[in-house]
mmCIF file with all atom_site columns, all heavy atoms in Angstrom:
data_model
loop_
_atom_site.group_PDB
_atom_site.id
_atom_site.type_symbol
_atom_site.label_atom_id
_atom_site.label_alt_id
_atom_site.label_comp_id
_atom_site.label_asym_id
_atom_site.label_entity_id
_atom_site.label_seq_id
_atom_site.pdbx_PDB_ins_code
_atom_site.Cartn_x
_atom_site.Cartn_y
_atom_site.Cartn_z
_atom_site.occupancy
_atom_site.B_iso_or_equiv
_atom_site.pdbx_formal_charge
_atom_site.auth_seq_id
_atom_site.auth_comp_id
_atom_site.auth_asym_id
_atom_site.auth_atom_id
_atom_site.pdbx_PDB_model_num
ATOM 1   N N   . ALA A 1 285 ? -22.253 12.995 9.151   1.00 0.00 ? 485 ALA A N   1
ATOM 2   C CA  . ALA A 1 285 ? -21.654 13.656 10.151  1.00 0.00 ? 485 ALA A CA  1
ATOM 3   C C   . ALA A 1 285 ? -21.688 15.195 9.929   1.00 0.00 ? 485 ALA A C   1
ATOM 4   O O   . ALA A 1 285 ? -22.068 16.025 10.663  1.00 0.00 ? 485 ALA A O   1
ATOM 5   C CB  . ALA A 1 285 ? -20.300 13.248 10.535  1.00 0.00 ? 485 ALA A CB  1
ATOM 6   N N   . GLN A 1 286 ? -21.236 15.536 8.623   1.00 0.00 ? 486 GLN A N   1
ATOM 7   C CA  . GLN A 1 286 ? -21.218 16.865 8.233   1.00 0.00 ? 486 GLN A CA  1
ATOM 8   C C   . GLN A 1 286 ? -20.979 17.024 6.635   1.00 0.00 ? 486 GLN A C   1
ATOM 9   O O   . GLN A 1 286 ? -20.525 16.120 6.133   1.00 0.00 ? 486 GLN A O   1
ATOM 10  C CB  . GLN A 1 286 ? -20.271 17.750 9.043   1.00 0.00 ? 486 GLN A CB  1
ATOM 11  C CG  . GLN A 1 286 ? -18.761 17.369 8.627   1.00 0.00 ? 486 GLN A CG  1
ATOM 12  C CD  . GLN A 1 286 ? -17.752 18.356 9.268   1.00 0.00 ? 486 GLN A CD  1
ATOM 13  O OE1 . GLN A 1 286 ? -17.379 17.957 10.413  1.00 0.00 ? 486 GLN A OE1 1
ATOM 14  N NE2 . GLN A 1 286 ? -17.407 19.349 8.640   1.00 0.00 ? 486 GLN A NE2 1
ATOM 15  N N   . ARG A 1 287 ? -21.528 18.052 6.147   1.00 0.00 ? 487 ARG A N   1
ATOM 16  C CA  . ARG A 1 287 ? -21.079 18.582 4.747   1.00 0.00 ? 487 ARG A CA  1
ATOM 17  C C   . ARG A 1 287 ? -19.825 19.250 4.874   1.00 0.00 ? 487 ARG A C   1
ATOM 18  O O   . ARG A 1 287 ? -19.591 20.138 5.603   1.00 0.00 ? 487 ARG A O   1
ATOM 19  C CB  . ARG A 1 287 ? -22.285 19.263 4.182   1.00 0.00 ? 487 ARG A CB  1
ATOM 20  C CG  . ARG A 1 287 ? -22.027 19.806 2.845   1.00 0.00 ? 487 ARG A CG  1
ATOM 21  C CD  . ARG A 1 287 ? -23.277 20.499 2.224   1.00 0.00 ? 487 ARG A CD  1
ATOM 22  N NE  . ARG A 1 287 ? -23.029 21.108 0.894   1.00 0.00 ? 487 ARG A NE  1
ATOM 23  C CZ  . ARG A 1 287 ? -23.921 21.601 0.175   1.00 0.00 ? 487 ARG A CZ  1
ATOM 24  N NH1 . ARG A 1 287 ? -25.219 21.608 0.551   1.00 0.00 ? 487 ARG A NH1 1
ATOM 25  N NH2 . ARG A 1 287 ? -23.662 22.260 -1.005  1.00 0.00 ? 487 ARG A NH2 1
ATOM 26  N N   . VAL A 1 288 ? -19.031 18.903 3.838   1.00 0.00 ? 488 VAL A N   1
ATOM 27  C CA  . VAL A 1 288 ? -17.566 19.436 3.895   1.00 0.00 ? 488 VAL A CA  1
ATOM 28  C C   . VAL A 1 288 ? -17.441 20.550 2.785   1.00 0.00 ? 488 VAL A C   1
ATOM 29  O O   . VAL A 1 288 ? -16.906 21.600 3.076   1.00 0.00 ? 488 VAL A O   1
ATOM 30  C CB  . VAL A 1 288 ? -16.525 18.345 3.650   1.00 0.00 ? 488 VAL A CB  1
ATOM 31  C CG1 . VAL A 1 288 ? -15.189 19.000 3.662   1.00 0.00 ? 488 VAL A CG1 1
ATOM 32  C CG2 . VAL A 1 288 ? -16.690 17.393 4.712   1.00 0.00 ? 488 VAL A CG2 1
ATOM 33  N N   . THR A 1 289 ? -18.055 20.155 1.610   1.00 0.00 ? 489 THR A N   1
ATOM 34  C CA  . THR A 1 289 ? -17.678 21.213 0.474   1.00 0.00 ? 489 THR A CA  1
ATOM 35  C C   . THR A 1 289 ? -19.045 21.905 0.086   1.00 0.00 ? 489 THR A C   1
ATOM 36  O O   . THR A 1 289 ? -20.058 21.356 0.224   1.00 0.00 ? 489 THR A O   1
ATOM 37  C CB  . THR A 1 289 ? -17.234 20.563 -0.853  1.00 0.00 ? 489 THR A CB  1
ATOM 38  O OG1 . THR A 1 289 ? -18.074 19.510 -1.280  1.00 0.00 ? 489 THR A OG1 1
ATOM 39  C CG2 . THR A 1 289 ? -15.825 19.844 -0.503  1.00 0.00 ? 489 THR A CG2 1
ATOM 40  N N   . ARG A 1 290 ? -18.883 23.082 -0.454  1.00 0.00 ? 490 ARG A N   1
ATOM 41  C CA  . ARG A 1 290 ? -20.018 23.881 -0.896  1.00 0.00 ? 490 ARG A CA  1
ATOM 42  C C   . ARG A 1 290 ? -19.605 24.777 -2.111  1.00 0.00 ? 490 ARG A C   1
ATOM 43  O O   . ARG A 1 290 ? -18.996 25.697 -1.894  1.00 0.00 ? 490 ARG A O   1
ATOM 44  C CB  . ARG A 1 290 ? -20.557 24.835 0.256   1.00 0.00 ? 490 ARG A CB  1
ATOM 45  C CG  . ARG A 1 290 ? -21.071 24.057 1.461   1.00 0.00 ? 490 ARG A CG  1
ATOM 46  C CD  . ARG A 1 290 ? -21.489 25.092 2.461   1.00 0.00 ? 490 ARG A CD  1
ATOM 47  N NE  . ARG A 1 290 ? -21.968 24.334 3.744   1.00 0.00 ? 490 ARG A NE  1
ATOM 48  C CZ  . ARG A 1 290 ? -23.101 23.841 3.887   1.00 0.00 ? 490 ARG A CZ  1
ATOM 49  N NH1 . ARG A 1 290 ? -24.034 24.019 2.973   1.00 0.00 ? 490 ARG A NH1 1
ATOM 50  N NH2 . ARG A 1 290 ? -23.401 23.146 5.007   1.00 0.00 ? 490 ARG A NH2 1
ATOM 51  N N   . SER A 1 291 ? -20.048 24.238 -3.256  1.00 0.00 ? 491 SER A N   1
ATOM 52  C CA  . SER A 1 291 ? -19.674 24.921 -4.459  1.00 0.00 ? 491 SER A CA  1
ATOM 53  C C   . SER A 1 291 ? -20.595 24.570 -5.676  1.00 0.00 ? 491 SER A C   1
ATOM 54  O O   . SER A 1 291 ? -21.363 23.579 -5.457  1.00 0.00 ? 491 SER A O   1
ATOM 55  C CB  . SER A 1 291 ? -18.174 24.610 -4.823  1.00 0.00 ? 491 SER A CB  1
ATOM 56  O OG  . SER A 1 291 ? -18.089 23.260 -5.481  1.00 0.00 ? 491 SER A OG  1
ATOM 57  N N   . ARG A 1 292 ? -20.658 25.366 -6.688  1.00 0.00 ? 492 ARG A N   1
ATOM 58  C CA  . ARG A 1 292 ? -21.456 25.026 -7.803  1.00 0.00 ? 492 ARG A CA  1
ATOM 59  C C   . ARG A 1 292 ? -20.947 23.861 -8.527  1.00 0.00 ? 492 ARG A C   1
ATOM 60  O O   . ARG A 1 292 ? -21.760 23.106 -9.191  1.00 0.00 ? 492 ARG A O   1
ATOM 61  C CB  . ARG A 1 292 ? -21.595 26.220 -8.612  1.00 0.00 ? 492 ARG A CB  1
ATOM 62  C CG  . ARG A 1 292 ? -22.386 27.412 -8.145  1.00 0.00 ? 492 ARG A CG  1
ATOM 63  C CD  . ARG A 1 292 ? -22.664 28.477 -9.198  1.00 0.00 ? 492 ARG A CD  1
ATOM 64  N NE  . ARG A 1 292 ? -23.514 29.595 -8.726  1.00 0.00 ? 492 ARG A NE  1
ATOM 65  C CZ  . ARG A 1 292 ? -23.867 30.622 -9.369  1.00 0.00 ? 492 ARG A CZ  1
ATOM 66  N NH1 . ARG A 1 292 ? -23.543 30.648 -10.641 1.00 0.00 ? 492 ARG A NH1 1
ATOM 67  N NH2 . ARG A 1 292 ? -24.724 31.473 -8.846  1.00 0.00 ? 492 ARG A NH2 1
ATOM 68  N N   . GLY A 1 293 ? -19.595 23.674 -8.608  1.00 0.00 ? 493 GLY A N   1
ATOM 69  C CA  . GLY A 1 293 ? -19.132 22.554 -9.281  1.00 0.00 ? 493 GLY A CA  1
ATOM 70  C C   . GLY A 1 293 ? -19.292 21.213 -8.607  1.00 0.00 ? 493 GLY A C   1
ATOM 71  O O   . GLY A 1 293 ? -19.769 21.123 -7.475  1.00 0.00 ? 493 GLY A O   1
ATOM 72  N N   . ILE A 1 294 ? -18.964 20.053 -9.252  1.00 0.00 ? 494 ILE A N   1
ATOM 73  C CA  . ILE A 1 294 ? -18.932 18.794 -8.694  1.00 0.00 ? 494 ILE A CA  1
ATOM 74  C C   . ILE A 1 294 ? -17.753 18.526 -7.911  1.00 0.00 ? 494 ILE A C   1
ATOM 75  O O   . ILE A 1 294 ? -16.645 18.786 -8.409  1.00 0.00 ? 494 ILE A O   1
ATOM 76  C CB  . ILE A 1 294 ? -19.193 17.784 -9.744  1.00 0.00 ? 494 ILE A CB  1
ATOM 77  C CG1 . ILE A 1 294 ? -20.525 17.945 -10.470 1.00 0.00 ? 494 ILE A CG1 1
ATOM 78  C CG2 . ILE A 1 294 ? -19.193 16.356 -9.224  1.00 0.00 ? 494 ILE A CG2 1
ATOM 79  C CD1 . ILE A 1 294 ? -20.746 17.160 -11.798 1.00 0.00 ? 494 ILE A CD1 1
ATOM 80  N N   . ASP A 1 295 ? -17.845 18.061 -6.649  1.00 0.00 ? 495 ASP A N   1
ATOM 81  C CA  . ASP A 1 295 ? -16.730 17.790 -5.738  1.00 0.00 ? 495 ASP A CA  1
ATOM 82  C C   . ASP A 1 295 ? -16.728 16.259 -5.514  1.00 0.00 ? 495 ASP A C   1
ATOM 83  O O   . ASP A 1 295 ? -17.733 15.810 -5.058  1.00 0.00 ? 495 ASP A O   1
ATOM 84  C CB  . ASP A 1 295 ? -16.746 18.550 -4.493  1.00 0.00 ? 495 ASP A CB  1
ATOM 85  C CG  . ASP A 1 295 ? -16.772 20.154 -4.751  1.00 0.00 ? 495 ASP A CG  1
ATOM 86  O OD1 . ASP A 1 295 ? -16.167 20.502 -5.720  1.00 0.00 ? 495 ASP A OD1 1
ATOM 87  O OD2 . ASP A 1 295 ? -17.415 20.846 -3.980  1.00 0.00 ? 495 ASP A OD2 1
ATOM 88  N N   . LEU A 1 296 ? -15.533 15.594 -5.687  1.00 0.00 ? 496 LEU A N   1
ATOM 89  C CA  . LEU A 1 296 ? -15.338 14.207 -5.397  1.00 0.00 ? 496 LEU A CA  1
ATOM 90  C C   . LEU A 1 296 ? -13.894 13.855 -5.223  1.00 0.00 ? 496 LEU A C   1
ATOM 91  O O   . LEU A 1 296 ? -12.980 14.704 -5.179  1.00 0.00 ? 496 LEU A O   1
ATOM 92  C CB  . LEU A 1 296 ? -16.069 13.439 -6.571  1.00 0.00 ? 496 LEU A CB  1
ATOM 93  C CG  . LEU A 1 296 ? -15.347 13.309 -7.870  1.00 0.00 ? 496 LEU A CG  1
ATOM 94  C CD1 . LEU A 1 296 ? -15.872 12.264 -8.707  1.00 0.00 ? 496 LEU A CD1 1
ATOM 95  C CD2 . LEU A 1 296 ? -15.452 14.640 -8.685  1.00 0.00 ? 496 LEU A CD2 1
ATOM 96  N N   . SER A 1 297 ? -13.611 12.513 -4.984  1.00 0.00 ? 497 SER A N   1
ATOM 97  C CA  . SER A 1 297 ? -12.259 12.040 -4.846  1.00 0.00 ? 497 SER A CA  1
ATOM 98  C C   . SER A 1 297 ? -11.533 12.590 -3.673  1.00 0.00 ? 497 SER A C   1
ATOM 99  O O   . SER A 1 297 ? -10.449 13.074 -3.852  1.00 0.00 ? 497 SER A O   1
ATOM 100 C CB  . SER A 1 297 ? -11.531 12.172 -6.114  1.00 0.00 ? 497 SER A CB  1
ATOM 101 O OG  . SER A 1 297 ? -12.073 11.302 -7.184  1.00 0.00 ? 497 SER A OG  1
ATOM 102 N N   . PRO A 1 298 ? -12.081 12.595 -2.408  1.00 0.00 ? 498 PRO A N   1
ATOM 103 C CA  . PRO A 1 298 ? -11.378 13.116 -1.370  1.00 0.00 ? 498 PRO A CA  1
ATOM 104 C C   . PRO A 1 298 ? -10.194 12.291 -0.865  1.00 0.00 ? 498 PRO A C   1
ATOM 105 O O   . PRO A 1 298 ? -10.196 11.095 -1.031  1.00 0.00 ? 498 PRO A O   1
ATOM 106 C CB  . PRO A 1 298 ? -12.551 13.202 -0.254  1.00 0.00 ? 498 PRO A CB  1
ATOM 107 C CG  . PRO A 1 298 ? -13.362 12.098 -0.585  1.00 0.00 ? 498 PRO A CG  1
ATOM 108 C CD  . PRO A 1 298 ? -13.433 11.986 -2.076  1.00 0.00 ? 498 PRO A CD  1
ATOM 109 N N   . THR A 1 299 ? -9.195  12.964 -0.322  1.00 0.00 ? 499 THR A N   1
ATOM 110 C CA  . THR A 1 299 ? -8.048  12.290 0.362   1.00 0.00 ? 499 THR A CA  1
ATOM 111 C C   . THR A 1 299 ? -7.608  13.250 1.424   1.00 0.00 ? 499 THR A C   1
ATOM 112 O O   . THR A 1 299 ? -7.635  14.452 1.268   1.00 0.00 ? 499 THR A O   1
ATOM 113 C CB  . THR A 1 299 ? -6.961  11.921 -0.688  1.00 0.00 ? 499 THR A CB  1
ATOM 114 O OG1 . THR A 1 299 ? -5.944  11.284 0.002   1.00 0.00 ? 499 THR A OG1 1
ATOM 115 C CG2 . THR A 1 299 ? -6.413  13.083 -1.299  1.00 0.00 ? 499 THR A CG2 1
ATOM 116 N N   . PHE A 1 300 ? -7.184  12.606 2.519   1.00 0.00 ? 500 PHE A N   1
ATOM 117 C CA  . PHE A 1 300 ? -6.824  13.485 3.709   1.00 0.00 ? 500 PHE A CA  1
ATOM 118 C C   . PHE A 1 300 ? -5.385  13.442 4.137   1.00 0.00 ? 500 PHE A C   1
ATOM 119 O O   . PHE A 1 300 ? -4.720  12.517 3.890   1.00 0.00 ? 500 PHE A O   1
ATOM 120 C CB  . PHE A 1 300 ? -7.652  12.937 4.880   1.00 0.00 ? 500 PHE A CB  1
ATOM 121 C CG  . PHE A 1 300 ? -9.181  13.215 4.762   1.00 0.00 ? 500 PHE A CG  1
ATOM 122 C CD1 . PHE A 1 300 ? -9.914  12.247 4.133   1.00 0.00 ? 500 PHE A CD1 1
ATOM 123 C CD2 . PHE A 1 300 ? -9.753  14.482 5.132   1.00 0.00 ? 500 PHE A CD2 1
ATOM 124 C CE1 . PHE A 1 300 ? -11.354 12.448 3.982   1.00 0.00 ? 500 PHE A CE1 1
ATOM 125 C CE2 . PHE A 1 300 ? -11.133 14.613 4.997   1.00 0.00 ? 500 PHE A CE2 1
ATOM 126 C CZ  . PHE A 1 300 ? -11.904 13.614 4.373   1.00 0.00 ? 500 PHE A CZ  1
ATOM 127 N N   . SER A 1 301 ? -4.984  14.679 4.684   1.00 0.00 ? 501 SER A N   1
ATOM 128 C CA  . SER A 1 301 ? -3.659  14.708 5.250   1.00 0.00 ? 501 SER A CA  1
ATOM 129 C C   . SER A 1 301 ? -3.500  13.811 6.320   1.00 0.00 ? 501 SER A C   1
ATOM 130 O O   . SER A 1 301 ? -4.541  13.472 6.960   1.00 0.00 ? 501 SER A O   1
ATOM 131 C CB  . SER A 1 301 ? -3.294  16.184 5.559   1.00 0.00 ? 501 SER A CB  1
ATOM 132 O OG  . SER A 1 301 ? -4.287  16.624 6.642   1.00 0.00 ? 501 SER A OG  1
ATOM 133 N N   . PRO A 1 302 ? -2.361  13.322 6.803   1.00 0.00 ? 502 PRO A N   1
ATOM 134 C CA  . PRO A 1 302 ? -2.225  12.406 7.817   1.00 0.00 ? 502 PRO A CA  1
ATOM 135 C C   . PRO A 1 302 ? -2.924  12.722 9.143   1.00 0.00 ? 502 PRO A C   1
ATOM 136 O O   . PRO A 1 302 ? -3.462  11.846 9.871   1.00 0.00 ? 502 PRO A O   1
ATOM 137 C CB  . PRO A 1 302 ? -0.729  12.287 8.075   1.00 0.00 ? 502 PRO A CB  1
ATOM 138 C CG  . PRO A 1 302 ? -0.224  12.598 6.665   1.00 0.00 ? 502 PRO A CG  1
ATOM 139 C CD  . PRO A 1 302 ? -1.040  13.630 6.240   1.00 0.00 ? 502 PRO A CD  1
ATOM 140 N N   . ASP A 1 303 ? -3.005  14.132 9.495   1.00 0.00 ? 503 ASP A N   1
ATOM 141 C CA  . ASP A 1 303 ? -3.644  14.446 10.745  1.00 0.00 ? 503 ASP A CA  1
ATOM 142 C C   . ASP A 1 303 ? -5.147  14.698 10.543  1.00 0.00 ? 503 ASP A C   1
ATOM 143 O O   . ASP A 1 303 ? -5.872  15.108 11.418  1.00 0.00 ? 503 ASP A O   1
ATOM 144 C CB  . ASP A 1 303 ? -2.957  15.732 11.301  1.00 0.00 ? 503 ASP A CB  1
ATOM 145 C CG  . ASP A 1 303 ? -3.010  17.029 10.337  1.00 0.00 ? 503 ASP A CG  1
ATOM 146 O OD1 . ASP A 1 303 ? -3.669  16.846 9.365   1.00 0.00 ? 503 ASP A OD1 1
ATOM 147 O OD2 . ASP A 1 303 ? -2.475  17.949 10.656  1.00 0.00 ? 503 ASP A OD2 1
ATOM 148 N N   . GLY A 1 304 ? -5.593  14.616 9.398   1.00 0.00 ? 504 GLY A N   1
ATOM 149 C CA  . GLY A 1 304 ? -7.066  14.788 9.049   1.00 0.00 ? 504 GLY A CA  1
ATOM 150 C C   . GLY A 1 304 ? -7.540  16.126 8.919   1.00 0.00 ? 504 GLY A C   1
ATOM 151 O O   . GLY A 1 304 ? -8.729  16.541 8.911   1.00 0.00 ? 504 GLY A O   1
ATOM 152 N N   . GLY A 1 305 ? -6.539  17.173 9.079   1.00 0.00 ? 505 GLY A N   1
ATOM 153 C CA  . GLY A 1 305 ? -6.870  18.544 9.083   1.00 0.00 ? 505 GLY A CA  1
ATOM 154 C C   . GLY A 1 305 ? -7.143  19.220 7.735   1.00 0.00 ? 505 GLY A C   1
ATOM 155 O O   . GLY A 1 305 ? -7.790  20.240 7.684   1.00 0.00 ? 505 GLY A O   1
ATOM 156 N N   . LYS A 1 306 ? -6.736  18.525 6.689   1.00 0.00 ? 506 LYS A N   1
ATOM 157 C CA  . LYS A 1 306 ? -6.918  19.083 5.316   1.00 0.00 ? 506 LYS A CA  1
ATOM 158 C C   . LYS A 1 306 ? -7.374  17.968 4.378   1.00 0.00 ? 506 LYS A C   1
ATOM 159 O O   . LYS A 1 306 ? -7.080  16.890 4.668   1.00 0.00 ? 506 LYS A O   1
ATOM 160 C CB  . LYS A 1 306 ? -5.649  19.617 4.778   1.00 0.00 ? 506 LYS A CB  1
ATOM 161 C CG  . LYS A 1 306 ? -5.122  20.915 5.590   1.00 0.00 ? 506 LYS A CG  1
ATOM 162 C CD  . LYS A 1 306 ? -3.827  21.514 4.949   1.00 0.00 ? 506 LYS A CD  1
ATOM 163 C CE  . LYS A 1 306 ? -3.440  22.758 5.774   1.00 0.00 ? 506 LYS A CE  1
ATOM 164 N NZ  . LYS A 1 306 ? -2.198  23.364 5.177   1.00 0.00 ? 506 LYS A NZ  1
ATOM 165 N N   . MET A 1 307 ? -8.105  18.402 3.442   1.00 0.00 ? 507 MET A N   1
ATOM 166 C CA  . MET A 1 307 ? -8.581  17.411 2.424   1.00 0.00 ? 507 MET A CA  1
ATOM 167 C C   . MET A 1 307 ? -8.376  17.936 1.104   1.00 0.00 ? 507 MET A C   1
ATOM 168 O O   . MET A 1 307 ? -8.640  19.016 0.691   1.00 0.00 ? 507 MET A O   1
ATOM 169 C CB  . MET A 1 307 ? -10.141 17.280 2.629   1.00 0.00 ? 507 MET A CB  1
ATOM 170 C CG  . MET A 1 307 ? -10.817 16.233 1.589   1.00 0.00 ? 507 MET A CG  1
ATOM 171 S SD  . MET A 1 307 ? -12.602 16.244 1.751   1.00 0.00 ? 507 MET A SD  1
ATOM 172 C CE  . MET A 1 307 ? -12.918 17.926 1.068   1.00 0.00 ? 507 MET A CE  1
ATOM 173 N N   . ALA A 1 308 ? -7.553  17.115 0.248   1.00 0.00 ? 508 ALA A N   1
ATOM 174 C CA  . ALA A 1 308 ? -7.490  17.306 -1.200  1.00 0.00 ? 508 ALA A CA  1
ATOM 175 C C   . ALA A 1 308 ? -8.649  16.580 -1.878  1.00 0.00 ? 508 ALA A C   1
ATOM 176 O O   . ALA A 1 308 ? -9.077  15.586 -1.521  1.00 0.00 ? 508 ALA A O   1
ATOM 177 C CB  . ALA A 1 308 ? -6.138  16.746 -1.647  1.00 0.00 ? 508 ALA A CB  1
ATOM 178 N N   . PHE A 1 309 ? -9.176  17.192 -2.988  1.00 0.00 ? 509 PHE A N   1
ATOM 179 C CA  . PHE A 1 309 ? -10.283 16.638 -3.709  1.00 0.00 ? 509 PHE A CA  1
ATOM 180 C C   . PHE A 1 309 ? -10.297 17.117 -5.088  1.00 0.00 ? 509 PHE A C   1
ATOM 181 O O   . PHE A 1 309 ? -9.552  18.119 -5.446  1.00 0.00 ? 509 PHE A O   1
ATOM 182 C CB  . PHE A 1 309 ? -11.578 16.972 -2.967  1.00 0.00 ? 509 PHE A CB  1
ATOM 183 C CG  . PHE A 1 309 ? -11.899 18.390 -2.886  1.00 0.00 ? 509 PHE A CG  1
ATOM 184 C CD1 . PHE A 1 309 ? -12.774 19.047 -3.701  1.00 0.00 ? 509 PHE A CD1 1
ATOM 185 C CD2 . PHE A 1 309 ? -11.263 19.309 -1.953  1.00 0.00 ? 509 PHE A CD2 1
ATOM 186 C CE1 . PHE A 1 309 ? -13.074 20.426 -3.690  1.00 0.00 ? 509 PHE A CE1 1
ATOM 187 C CE2 . PHE A 1 309 ? -11.478 20.654 -1.886  1.00 0.00 ? 509 PHE A CE2 1
ATOM 188 C CZ  . PHE A 1 309 ? -12.386 21.233 -2.670  1.00 0.00 ? 509 PHE A CZ  1
#
Side-chain angles (χ1 to χ4, degrees):
Q486 72 177 83
R487 178 173 171 174
V488 181
T489 61
R490 297 179 182 274
S491 73
R492 289 187 175 183
I494 299 170
D495 300 327
L496 72 168
S497 295
T499 181
F500 292 91
S501 60
D503 63 2
K506 294 182 179 181
M507 179 184 74
F509 62 100

